[in-house]
Amino acid sequence: KNQVEQSPQSLIILEGKNCTLQCNYTVSPFSNLRWYKQDTGRGPVSLTIMTFSENTKSNGRYTATLDADTKQSSLHITASQLSDSASYICVVSPNTGNQFYFGTGTSLTVIP
Amino acid sequence: DTAVSQTPKYLVTQMGNDKSIKCEQNLGHDTMYWYKQDSKKFLKIMFSYNNKELIINETVPNRFSPKSPDKAHLNLHINSLELGDSAVYFCASSHLDRDFSPLHFGNGTRLTVT
């Protein structure tokens, strides 16, 4: 069964600190994995995409990693800011058809 | 210059009523979707249309009926609303035939059924 699991479910960190969010998936065959950020009251917005051949990719203070062998991805946030408070959703796509498998998300709260 | 816009943002109604949510995208995408986000923030696909043709129709009560008058619009009509329909509904769009095309979401419609 194609599934995407994220951990932790929620996280509270101090402003300026780093954190890492995890995503494990069983989706097969694998095409790509995206991390989305969802601010309160808004729709999710794509942060970064990881394809099969990519191990790491950065987008500003966000760095995503992918281990296609163990089917794990992580999103590392450096020097967190209050505006990083949001839900982060991992979405995996197989290479067949028009499918997106959503994780349950990690709710991140950055406090001053 | 909003890419995916949906209206209304908030919808409060009583059980048994019929309501519609409208969605429009100006990105030139060929595929549009409706997602339901429950209280645990989990996004679940409801419907997907490609060039006005229904391509994904998950297990959703037939009280929910999507309508796509053209590629840029996908509306959701809900009949005989029930308490369990309360959720946030998101419209999204993408390019079906472009590799790695991301989903572009609207800002959601919060439906509250009382």
Side-chain angles (χ1 to χ4, degrees):
Chain A
K1 185 177 179 183
N2 292 314
Q3 287 187 315
V4 180
E5 295 183 352
Q6 293 185 241
S7 61
Q9 185 175 355
S10 62
L11 185 60
I12 300 174
I13 62 172
L14 289 173
E15 186 178 12
K17 297 296 185 183
N18 304 335
C19 67
T20 300
L21 314 180
Q22 300 287 347
C23 175
N24 297 337
Y25 62 92
T26 59
V27 178
S28 182
F30 174 83
S31 171
N32 66 86
L33 181 150
R34 280 190 187 273
W35 284 94
Y36 286 80
K37 179 187 180 189
Q38 184 177 15
D39 292 314
T40 301
R42 311 283 293 220
V45 175
S46 176
L47 286 174
T48 185
I49 178 175
M50 304 295 291
T51 58
F52 187 86
S53 59
E54 295 174 308
N55 298 118
T56 184
K57 182 179 288 185
S58 292
N59 177 7
R61 294 179 298 102
Y62 300 102
T63 299
T65 66
L66 175 68
D67 185 335
D69 291 330
T70 62
K71 298 187 176 181
Q72 296 180 325
S73 176
S74 67
L75 181 69
H76 185 75
I77 305 175
T78 304
S80 61
Q81 300 176 358
L82 297 179
S83 60
D84 293 331
S85 295
S87 289
Y88 292 83
I89 304 170
C90 176
V91 182
V92 181
S93 296
N95 61 6
T96 54
N98 181 33
Q99 298 282 350
F100 299 94
Y101 293 95
F102 284 75
T104 50
T106 293
S107 176
L108 174 65
T109 303
V110 181
I111 58 175
Chain B
D1 61 347
T2 304
V4 181
S5 60
Q6 52 183 113
T7 56
K9 186 167 178 64
Y10 300 97
L11 185 53
V12 181
T13 187
Q14 292 183 327
M15 284 174 55
N17 285 348
D18 303 338
K19 291 293 180 185
S20 292
I21 308 172
K22 296 185 176 181
C23 179
E24 175 182 7
Q25 54 95 6
N26 62 6
L27 296 167
H29 288 164
D30 57 9
T31 305
M32 296 185 72
Y33 312 78
W34 277 110
Y35 284 87
K36 180 179 180 181
Q37 189 171 48
D38 60 24
S39 57
K40 294 184 178 180
K41 297 290 190 73
F42 182 66
L43 279 158
K44 185 174 181 181
I45 182 72
M46 299 174 69
F47 303 101
S48 175
Y49 271 73
N50 175 252
N51 290 318
K52 303 195 308 178
E53 299 289 328
L54 181 66
I55 57 172
I56 293 177
N57 183 5
E58 293 296 314
T59 305
V60 175
N62 57 16
R63 298 182 294 103
F64 290 79
S65 53
K67 283 186 172 55
S68 182
D70 54 59
K71 286 197 309 181
H73 296 83
L74 180 62
N75 303 323
L76 183 65
H77 188 76
I78 316 170
N79 290 327
S80 303
L81 278 155
E82 300 178 356
L83 292 177
D85 297 332
S86 296
V88 182
Y89 293 84
F90 284 96
C91 177
S93 69
S94 72
H95 273 298
L96 180 61
D97 295 327
R98 288 190 190 175
D99 289 344
F100 316 136
S101 173
L103 291 165
H104 291 259
F105 286 88
N107 284 326
T109 296
R110 181 175 292 277
L111 171 64
T112 303
V113 182
T114 62

